[in-house]
Protein backbone atom coordinates (compact mmCIF):
# COMPACT_ATOMS: atom_id res chain seq x y z
CA UNK A 1 0.00 0.00 0.00
CA UNK A 2 1.28 3.45 -0.81
CA UNK A 3 1.94 5.99 1.93
CA UNK A 4 -1.07 8.24 2.35
CA UNK A 5 0.10 10.01 5.50
CA UNK A 6 3.77 10.75 4.84
CA UNK A 7 6.22 11.05 7.72
CA UNK A 8 7.37 14.39 6.33
CA UNK A 9 5.87 16.43 3.47
CA UNK A 10 8.46 18.81 2.04
CA UNK A 11 6.49 19.25 -1.20
CA UNK A 12 3.55 20.77 0.66
CA UNK A 13 5.91 23.24 2.36
CA UNK A 14 7.64 24.24 -0.86
CA UNK A 15 4.60 24.48 -3.14
CA UNK A 16 3.11 27.14 -0.86
CA UNK A 17 6.19 29.39 -1.18
CA UNK A 18 7.25 28.45 -4.70
CA UNK A 19 7.40 31.97 -6.25
CA UNK A 20 9.72 33.23 -3.49
CA UNK A 21 11.93 30.14 -3.79
CA UNK A 22 12.13 30.61 -7.57
CA UNK A 23 13.10 34.25 -7.07
CA UNK A 24 15.95 33.17 -4.75
CA UNK A 25 17.47 31.16 -7.57
CA UNK A 26 17.02 33.99 -10.09
CA UNK A 27 18.64 36.48 -7.70
CA UNK A 28 21.58 34.15 -7.08
CA UNK A 29 22.22 33.80 -10.82
CA UNK A 30 21.94 37.56 -11.27
CA UNK A 31 24.47 38.37 -8.54
CA UNK A 32 26.90 35.40 -8.72
CA UNK A 33 26.90 35.35 -4.92
CA UNK A 34 27.31 31.59 -4.74
CA UNK A 35 29.33 31.11 -1.55
CA UNK A 36 29.07 33.62 1.27
CA UNK A 37 28.30 37.21 0.20
CA UNK A 38 25.50 39.64 0.84
CA UNK A 39 22.67 37.07 0.94
CA UNK A 40 24.54 35.11 3.63
CA UNK A 41 25.19 38.31 5.61
CA UNK A 42 21.46 39.12 5.44
CA UNK A 43 20.36 35.66 6.56
CA UNK A 44 22.91 35.65 9.40
CA UNK A 45 21.48 38.93 10.70
CA UNK A 46 17.90 37.62 10.43
CA UNK A 47 18.69 34.34 12.18
CA UNK A 48 20.67 36.06 14.96
CA UNK A 49 17.65 38.29 15.59
CA UNK A 50 15.35 35.26 15.56
CA UNK A 51 17.35 33.43 18.24
CA UNK A 52 18.15 36.56 20.23
CA UNK A 53 21.89 35.88 19.88
CA UNK A 54 24.26 38.74 19.09
CA UNK A 55 26.09 36.84 16.34
CA UNK A 56 25.34 34.20 13.71
CA UNK A 57 27.87 32.52 11.40
CA UNK A 58 26.56 30.46 8.49
CA UNK A 59 28.42 27.18 7.91
CA UNK A 60 28.11 24.12 5.65
CA UNK A 61 26.02 21.87 7.95
CA UNK A 62 24.98 21.28 11.55
CA UNK A 63 27.74 18.80 12.37
CA UNK A 64 30.38 21.31 11.26
CA UNK A 65 28.65 23.98 13.37
CA UNK A 66 29.17 21.84 16.49
CA UNK A 67 32.72 20.88 15.52
CA UNK A 68 33.70 24.49 14.81
CA UNK A 69 32.32 25.64 18.18
CA UNK A 70 34.35 22.95 19.97
CA UNK A 71 37.49 23.89 18.02
CA UNK A 72 36.96 27.61 18.67
CA UNK A 73 36.62 26.88 22.40
CA UNK A 74 39.96 25.08 22.22
CA UNK A 75 38.50 21.63 22.98
CA UNK A 76 40.78 18.87 21.68
CA UNK A 77 42.91 15.84 22.50
CA UNK A 78 42.81 14.78 26.14
CA UNK A 79 39.51 16.58 26.77
CA UNK A 80 36.18 15.00 27.64
CA UNK A 81 32.85 16.32 26.39
CA UNK A 82 29.60 15.24 28.05
CA UNK A 83 27.02 14.08 25.47
CA UNK A 84 23.56 12.61 26.07
CA UNK A 85 23.46 8.98 24.88
CA UNK A 86 20.01 9.66 23.40
CA UNK A 87 20.87 11.87 20.42
CA UNK A 88 21.68 11.71 16.73
CA UNK A 89 25.25 10.44 16.21
CA UNK A 90 26.43 13.80 14.83
CA UNK A 91 26.58 15.30 18.34
CA UNK A 92 29.22 12.73 19.35
CA UNK A 93 30.89 12.76 15.91
CA UNK A 94 31.74 16.45 16.27
CA UNK A 95 33.45 15.70 19.61
CA UNK A 96 35.56 12.90 18.10
CA UNK A 97 36.44 15.08 15.08
CA UNK A 98 38.23 17.63 17.29
CA UNK A 99 40.16 14.82 19.00
CA UNK A 100 38.20 14.85 22.28
CA UNK A 101 36.36 11.95 23.92
CA UNK A 102 32.57 11.86 24.26
CA UNK A 103 31.42 10.84 27.74
CA UNK A 104 27.85 9.66 27.31
CA UNK A 105 25.22 10.29 29.98
CA UNK A 106 21.72 8.99 30.43
CA UNK A 107 18.61 11.15 29.93
CA UNK A 108 15.46 12.00 31.86
CA UNK A 109 12.88 9.20 31.45
CA UNK A 110 9.98 11.65 30.94
CA UNK A 111 11.52 14.16 28.51
CA UNK A 112 14.35 11.99 27.06
CA UNK A 113 16.71 15.00 27.50
CA UNK A 114 19.97 15.62 29.37
CA UNK A 115 19.60 17.01 32.93
CA UNK A 116 21.75 18.91 35.42
CA UNK A 117 22.02 15.80 37.60
CA UNK A 118 23.25 13.69 34.68
CA UNK A 119 25.87 16.33 33.87
CA UNK A 120 26.99 16.54 37.51
CA UNK A 121 27.48 12.76 37.64
CA UNK A 122 29.59 12.78 34.45
CA UNK A 123 31.86 15.74 35.32
CA UNK A 124 35.57 15.03 35.69
CA UNK A 125 38.69 17.21 35.86
CA UNK A 126 39.00 16.61 32.09
CA UNK A 127 35.49 17.83 31.20
CA UNK A 128 35.95 20.63 28.66
CA UNK A 129 32.35 21.12 27.49
CA UNK A 130 28.78 19.81 27.71
CA UNK A 131 26.52 19.20 24.72
CA UNK A 132 22.94 20.17 25.61
CA UNK A 133 20.88 18.57 22.84
CA UNK A 134 17.40 20.06 22.37
CA UNK A 135 16.08 16.77 20.99
CA UNK A 136 12.80 16.19 19.12
CA UNK A 137 12.12 19.94 19.18
CA UNK A 138 12.09 20.06 22.98
CA UNK A 139 14.30 22.54 24.82
CA UNK A 140 16.64 21.26 27.52
CA UNK A 141 16.08 22.84 30.95
CA UNK A 142 19.06 25.16 30.60
CA UNK A 143 18.46 26.74 34.03
CA UNK A 144 19.10 23.30 35.53
CA UNK A 145 22.11 22.43 33.31
CA UNK A 146 23.75 25.89 33.49
CA UNK A 147 23.54 25.90 37.31
CA UNK A 148 25.78 22.81 37.30
CA UNK A 149 28.13 23.86 34.48
CA UNK A 150 28.54 27.46 35.68
CA UNK A 151 29.57 26.16 39.12
CA UNK A 152 32.07 23.82 37.42
CA UNK A 153 33.32 26.50 35.01
CA UNK A 154 32.51 24.35 31.95
CA UNK A 155 30.93 25.80 28.77
CA UNK A 156 27.62 24.48 27.42
CA UNK A 157 27.19 24.00 23.68
CA UNK A 158 23.56 23.84 22.57
CA UNK A 159 22.90 21.27 19.84
CA UNK A 160 19.91 23.08 18.38
CA UNK A 161 19.69 21.05 15.15
CA UNK A 162 16.16 19.86 15.98
CA UNK A 163 14.77 22.86 17.80
CA UNK A 164 14.70 26.12 15.77
CA UNK A 165 12.30 28.37 17.68
CA UNK A 166 11.95 26.30 20.87
CA UNK A 167 11.79 28.20 24.18
CA UNK A 168 12.56 27.41 27.80
CA UNK A 169 10.78 29.59 30.36
CA UNK A 170 10.01 32.10 27.62
CA UNK A 171 13.61 32.37 26.40
CA UNK A 172 14.50 31.18 22.90
CA UNK A 173 17.16 28.49 22.68
CA UNK A 174 20.37 29.32 20.84
CA UNK A 175 21.58 32.25 22.92
CA UNK A 176 22.11 30.91 26.43
CA UNK A 177 25.05 28.52 26.25
CA UNK A 178 28.55 29.48 25.07
CA UNK A 179 27.24 28.91 21.53
CA UNK A 180 24.63 26.89 19.65
CA UNK A 181 24.91 24.77 16.51
CA UNK A 182 21.93 24.69 14.13
CA UNK A 183 21.40 22.38 11.15
CA UNK A 184 19.45 23.40 8.05
CA UNK A 185 19.28 19.88 6.62
CA UNK A 186 16.08 19.85 4.48
CA UNK A 187 14.02 17.82 6.98
CA UNK A 188 14.73 20.07 9.98
CA UNK A 189 12.15 22.63 11.20
CA UNK A 190 14.11 25.29 9.28
CA UNK A 191 15.52 23.43 6.30
CA UNK A 192 17.52 24.56 3.28
CA UNK A 193 17.19 22.90 -0.12
CA UNK A 194 20.46 21.13 0.53
CA UNK A 195 22.91 21.13 3.44
CA UNK A 196 23.48 24.16 5.64
CA UNK A 197 24.13 25.11 9.25
CA UNK A 198 24.84 28.01 11.59
CA UNK A 199 26.54 28.92 14.84
CA UNK A 200 24.82 31.45 17.10
CA UNK A 201 26.52 33.04 20.11
CA UNK A 202 26.67 36.20 22.21
CA UNK A 203 30.47 35.96 22.31
CA UNK A 204 32.00 38.20 19.61
CA UNK A 205 35.45 36.56 19.86
CA UNK A 206 34.00 33.07 19.58
CA UNK A 207 31.94 34.10 16.53
CA UNK A 208 35.04 35.62 14.90
CA UNK A 209 37.09 32.46 15.54
CA UNK A 210 34.35 30.23 14.11
CA UNK A 211 34.19 32.47 11.03
CA UNK A 212 37.95 32.34 10.55
CA UNK A 213 38.14 28.56 11.06
CA UNK A 214 35.26 27.98 8.64
CA UNK A 215 36.93 30.04 5.90
CA UNK A 216 40.44 28.56 5.57
CA UNK A 217 41.70 30.36 8.68
CA UNK A 218 41.50 33.66 6.78
CA UNK A 219 42.03 36.75 8.96
CA UNK A 220 39.07 39.10 9.14
CA UNK A 221 41.26 42.08 8.17
CA UNK A 222 43.15 40.56 5.24
CA UNK A 223 42.17 38.53 2.22
CA UNK A 224 45.64 36.98 1.93
CA UNK A 225 46.58 36.34 5.54
CA UNK A 226 45.69 33.02 7.13
CA UNK A 227 45.88 33.39 10.89
CA UNK A 228 45.26 29.74 11.72
CA UNK A 229 44.78 26.35 10.11
CA UNK A 230 41.13 26.38 9.18
CA UNK A 231 38.96 24.46 6.77
CA UNK A 232 36.18 25.05 4.28
CA UNK A 233 32.73 25.05 5.85
CA UNK A 234 30.68 27.91 4.43
CA UNK A 235 27.02 28.58 3.68
CA UNK A 236 25.97 28.96 0.03
CA UNK A 237 24.36 32.21 -1.11
CA UNK A 238 21.52 30.27 -2.71
CA UNK A 239 20.81 28.36 0.51
CA UNK A 240 20.93 31.62 2.50
CA UNK A 241 18.31 33.17 0.20
CA UNK A 242 16.10 30.09 0.42
CA UNK A 243 16.53 30.05 4.21
CA UNK A 244 15.47 33.71 4.47
CA UNK A 245 12.26 32.81 2.65
CA UNK A 246 11.64 29.80 4.87
CA UNK A 247 12.56 31.63 8.09
CA UNK A 248 9.64 34.00 7.46
CA UNK A 249 7.31 30.96 7.75
CA UNK A 250 9.04 29.21 10.66
CA UNK A 251 6.80 30.45 13.48
CA UNK A 252 3.65 29.60 11.53
CA UNK A 253 5.06 26.12 10.76
CA UNK A 254 6.07 25.52 14.38
CA UNK A 255 2.58 26.58 15.45
CA UNK A 256 1.07 24.05 13.01
CA UNK A 257 3.33 21.35 14.49
CA UNK A 258 2.14 22.26 18.01
CA UNK A 259 -1.47 22.03 16.84
CA UNK A 260 -0.79 18.55 15.37
CA UNK A 261 0.93 17.46 18.60
CA UNK A 262 -2.12 18.65 20.54
CA UNK A 263 -4.47 16.64 18.30
CA UNK A 264 -2.31 13.51 18.67
CA UNK A 265 -2.41 14.04 22.43
CA UNK A 266 -6.22 14.03 22.35
CA UNK A 267 -6.63 11.12 19.96
CA UNK A 268 -3.85 8.62 20.71
CA UNK A 269 -5.00 5.34 22.28
CA UNK A 270 -3.59 4.71 25.78
CA UNK A 271 -0.90 2.19 24.75
CA UNK A 272 1.10 4.92 22.95
CA UNK A 273 2.36 7.66 25.23
CA UNK A 274 4.05 10.78 23.85
CA UNK A 275 7.40 11.90 25.26
CA UNK A 276 6.52 14.52 27.87
CA UNK A 277 6.94 18.24 27.20
CA UNK A 278 7.99 19.99 30.44
CA UNK A 279 5.70 22.69 31.85
CA UNK A 280 8.14 25.54 31.16
CA UNK A 281 9.03 24.26 27.68
CA UNK A 282 7.66 25.40 24.34
CA UNK A 283 8.47 22.53 22.00
CA UNK A 284 8.66 22.91 18.23
CA UNK A 285 7.95 19.19 17.74
CA UNK A 286 10.62 18.39 15.19
CA UNK A 287 9.62 14.78 15.76
CA UNK A 288 6.52 13.34 17.42
CA UNK A 289 7.94 10.47 19.47
CA UNK A 290 5.73 8.06 21.41
CA UNK A 291 6.61 5.02 23.51
CA UNK A 292 4.76 1.75 22.78
CA UNK A 293 4.43 -0.21 25.99
CA UNK A 294 1.05 -1.96 25.72
CA UNK A 295 1.66 -3.19 22.16
CA UNK A 296 4.90 -4.42 20.62
CA UNK A 297 6.80 -1.88 18.57
CA UNK A 298 7.09 -4.14 15.53
CA UNK A 299 3.33 -4.78 15.66
CA UNK A 300 2.84 -1.01 15.85
CA UNK A 301 5.09 -0.21 12.89
CA UNK A 302 3.63 -3.06 10.77
CA UNK A 303 0.14 -1.68 11.40
CA UNK A 304 1.24 1.85 10.46
CA UNK A 305 2.84 0.60 7.24
CA UNK A 306 -0.28 -1.42 6.37
CA UNK A 307 -2.42 1.70 6.90
CA UNK A 308 -0.18 3.79 4.62
CA UNK A 309 1.29 5.80 7.49
CA UNK A 310 4.98 6.82 7.47
CA UNK A 311 7.04 6.33 10.64
CA UNK A 312 10.62 6.46 11.93
CA UNK A 313 12.75 5.43 14.92
CA UNK A 314 14.76 8.11 16.77
CA UNK A 315 16.92 6.37 17.80
CA UNK A 316 16.86 2.55 17.86
CA UNK A 317 20.61 2.18 18.55
CA UNK A 318 21.92 4.57 21.21
CA UNK A 319 25.23 6.32 20.47
CA UNK A 320 27.16 4.33 23.07
CA UNK A 321 25.95 1.08 21.46
CA UNK A 322 26.95 2.05 17.92
CA UNK A 323 29.72 -0.03 16.29
CA UNK A 324 31.61 3.24 15.69
CA UNK A 325 32.02 3.56 19.47
CA UNK A 326 32.77 -0.12 20.12
CA UNK A 327 36.39 0.68 21.03
CA UNK A 328 35.44 3.34 23.56
CA UNK A 329 34.63 1.85 26.93
CA UNK A 330 31.03 2.82 27.66
CA UNK A 331 28.86 2.36 30.70
CA UNK A 332 25.27 1.26 30.47
CA UNK A 333 22.61 4.00 30.21
CA UNK A 334 19.37 2.21 31.12
CA UNK A 335 16.86 4.96 30.30
CA UNK A 336 18.31 5.51 26.82
CA UNK A 337 18.58 1.75 26.23
CA UNK A 338 14.94 1.26 27.25
CA UNK A 339 13.75 4.14 25.04
CA UNK A 340 15.66 2.68 22.09
CA UNK A 341 13.46 -0.44 22.31
CA UNK A 342 10.07 1.26 22.64
CA UNK A 343 10.09 4.59 20.80
CA UNK A 344 8.42 5.22 17.46
CA UNK A 345 8.10 8.53 15.63
CA UNK A 346 4.71 9.27 14.05
CA UNK A 347 4.20 11.61 11.05
CA UNK A 348 4.99 15.21 12.04
CA UNK A 349 5.17 18.24 9.75
CA UNK A 350 3.34 21.56 9.37
CA UNK A 351 0.76 20.30 6.87
CA UNK A 352 -0.92 17.46 8.79
CA UNK A 353 -4.71 17.61 8.69
CA UNK A 354 -7.21 16.41 11.24
CA UNK A 355 -8.03 13.53 8.86
CA UNK A 356 -4.34 12.55 8.68
CA UNK A 357 -4.08 12.36 12.46
CA UNK A 358 -7.36 10.41 12.61
CA UNK A 359 -5.92 7.92 10.12
CA UNK A 360 -2.74 7.44 12.19
CA UNK A 361 -4.59 7.07 15.48
CA UNK A 362 -7.27 4.90 13.84
CA UNK A 363 -4.62 2.43 12.67
CA UNK A 364 -3.32 2.19 16.24
CA UNK A 365 -6.83 1.99 17.71
CA UNK A 366 -7.53 -1.17 15.70
CA UNK A 367 -4.63 -2.89 17.46
CA UNK A 368 -6.17 -2.48 20.88
CA UNK A 369 -9.90 -2.69 20.05
CA UNK A 370 -11.30 -6.14 20.76
C1 LIG B 1 20.66 16.76 12.14
C2 LIG B 1 21.39 16.79 13.43
C3 LIG B 1 22.74 17.16 13.51
C4 LIG B 1 23.62 17.35 12.31
O1 LIG B 1 23.19 18.23 11.37
P1 LIG B 1 23.67 18.07 9.83
O2 LIG B 1 23.26 19.34 9.21
O3 LIG B 1 22.97 16.88 9.28
O4 LIG B 1 25.15 17.88 9.86
C5 LIG B 1 23.31 17.29 14.77
N1 LIG B 1 22.61 17.02 15.89
C6 LIG B 1 21.33 16.62 15.86
C7 LIG B 1 20.61 16.35 17.14
C8 LIG B 1 20.68 16.47 14.63
O5 LIG B 1 19.40 16.06 14.60
Amino acid sequence: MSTTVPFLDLSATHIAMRPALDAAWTDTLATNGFVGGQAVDAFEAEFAAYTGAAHCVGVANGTDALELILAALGVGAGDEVIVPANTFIATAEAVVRVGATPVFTDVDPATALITGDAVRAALSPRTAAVMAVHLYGQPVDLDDVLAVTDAAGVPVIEDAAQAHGARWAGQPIGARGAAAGFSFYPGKNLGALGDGGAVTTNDADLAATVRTLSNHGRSSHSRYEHAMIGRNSRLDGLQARLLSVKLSHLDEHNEARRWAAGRYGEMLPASWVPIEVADRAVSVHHLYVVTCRGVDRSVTTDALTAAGVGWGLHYPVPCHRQPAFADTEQKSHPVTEDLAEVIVSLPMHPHLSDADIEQVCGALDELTAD
Side-chain angles (χ1 to χ4, degrees), residues 61-63 66 87-88 90-91 133 135 159 161-162 183 185 188 196:
N61 57 68
T63 314
L66 298 172
T87 184
F88 181 55
T91 318
V133 185
L135 202 68
D159 180 340
Q162 299 192 359
S183 165
Y185 178 76
K188 307 286 171 149

